[in-house]
Amino acid sequence: GDASLAQYLSDIHRNTQKAGDILGRIRAFIRSKETVFERVALGQVISDVTALINDLANNESVRLEVTLPAQNVWVRGDPVQLSQILMNVCRNAIQATQGQSERWLHLRVWRADGMACVEITDNGPGLQPEVLASVSTPFFSTKPDGLGVGLSISKSIAKHHGGTLSIGNHPDGGAVVVLQLPSID
């Protein structure tokens, strides 16, 4: 009846607040933690991340492809935090490809208009319209282990680095996540 609905709504409200608190704490932590901004080669960050997720990818039979430009693309940032973003995105992408006969993940780095770009595409089913709509909200989650929290943190880190993290669907299918950061020479 109405009582249980009211209870349910207050639970949701409380959980959302709790999630908001957790996110707030994480954001505060990211800000307070001495972010050591150093000159970072994106190729190196990607090598570190692919080394870390290689086992997971192999176990899941996901083919990892990495396309790096001939010249290193440099950004100013905290290599650990940048690795965290990419780890997060890659783990989500690997999960997203479950159920496909062939599973792959493609990471591509390039530089354009003073921005360093990292694009991660997968051949999963892509994101449902309602998920895409909610991705832009600060807190959302499509699964209990909290894709949303990971993405929110990743977005915070990108913003902290003067960049953006955007997520969408690829015209050929699958999801595409693009991390853009100001590039330096």
Side-chain angles (χ1 to χ4, degrees):
D2 287 350
S4 58
L5 179 63
Q7 181 58 47
Y8 175 68
L9 289 174
S10 90
D11 283 352
I12 288 182
H13 184 68
R14 201 171 47 247
N15 285 338
T16 307
Q17 265 183 328
K18 202 160 65 189
D21 292 346
I22 294 169
L23 273 180
R25 281 207 299 277
I26 292 165
R27 289 206 174 102
F29 169 72
I30 291 169
R31 275 197 300 272
S32 69
K33 183 179 157 303
E34 270 312 294
T35 308
V36 186
F37 281 86
E38 52 188 82
R39 193 163 174 264
V40 184
L42 276 181
Q44 186 56 54
V45 175
I46 294 209
S47 304
D48 295 348
V49 169
T50 46
L52 288 168
I53 60 165
N54 243 325
D55 286 350
L56 176 62
N58 284 335
N59 293 342
E60 296 272 343
S61 317
V62 175
R63 195 170 78 244
L64 276 181
E65 286 175 34
V66 178
T67 309
L68 297 172
Q71 256 74 47
N72 250 324
V73 176
W74 296 90
V75 297
R76 189 168 290 293
D78 180 320
V80 175
Q81 291 189 7
L82 294 176
S83 303
Q84 267 179 318
I85 297 182
L86 297 176
M87 279 290 294
N88 236 314
V89 172
C90 290
R91 277 209 307 262
N92 289 337
I94 287 171
Q95 281 182 326
T97 60
Q98 278 168 356
Q100 306 292 16
S101 53
E102 257 196 275
R103 302 170 65 184
W104 55 260
L105 195 58
H106 188 178
L107 284 81
R108 195 162 70 90
V109 177
W110 74 97
R111 183 180 166 165
D113 306 326
M115 294 304 271
C117 307
V118 184
E119 180 188 68
I120 297 125
T121 29
D122 66 56
N123 71 328
L127 295 158
Q128 300 301 318
E130 62 273 17
V131 176
L132 279 180
S134 63
V135 172
S136 50
T137 64
F139 174 74
F140 80 100
S141 182
T142 53
K143 45 178 167 334
D145 60 4
L147 164 72
V149 175
L151 268 174
S152 293
I153 296 166
S154 299
K155 282 188 154 186
S156 292
I157 297 173
K159 203 168 158 189
H160 192 49
H161 281 74
T164 57
L165 185 72
S166 61
I167 183 164
N169 282 332
H170 201 274
D172 303 331
V176 56
V177 177
V178 180
L179 170 64
Q180 286 191 310
L181 301 164
S183 63
I184 56 172
D185 291 320

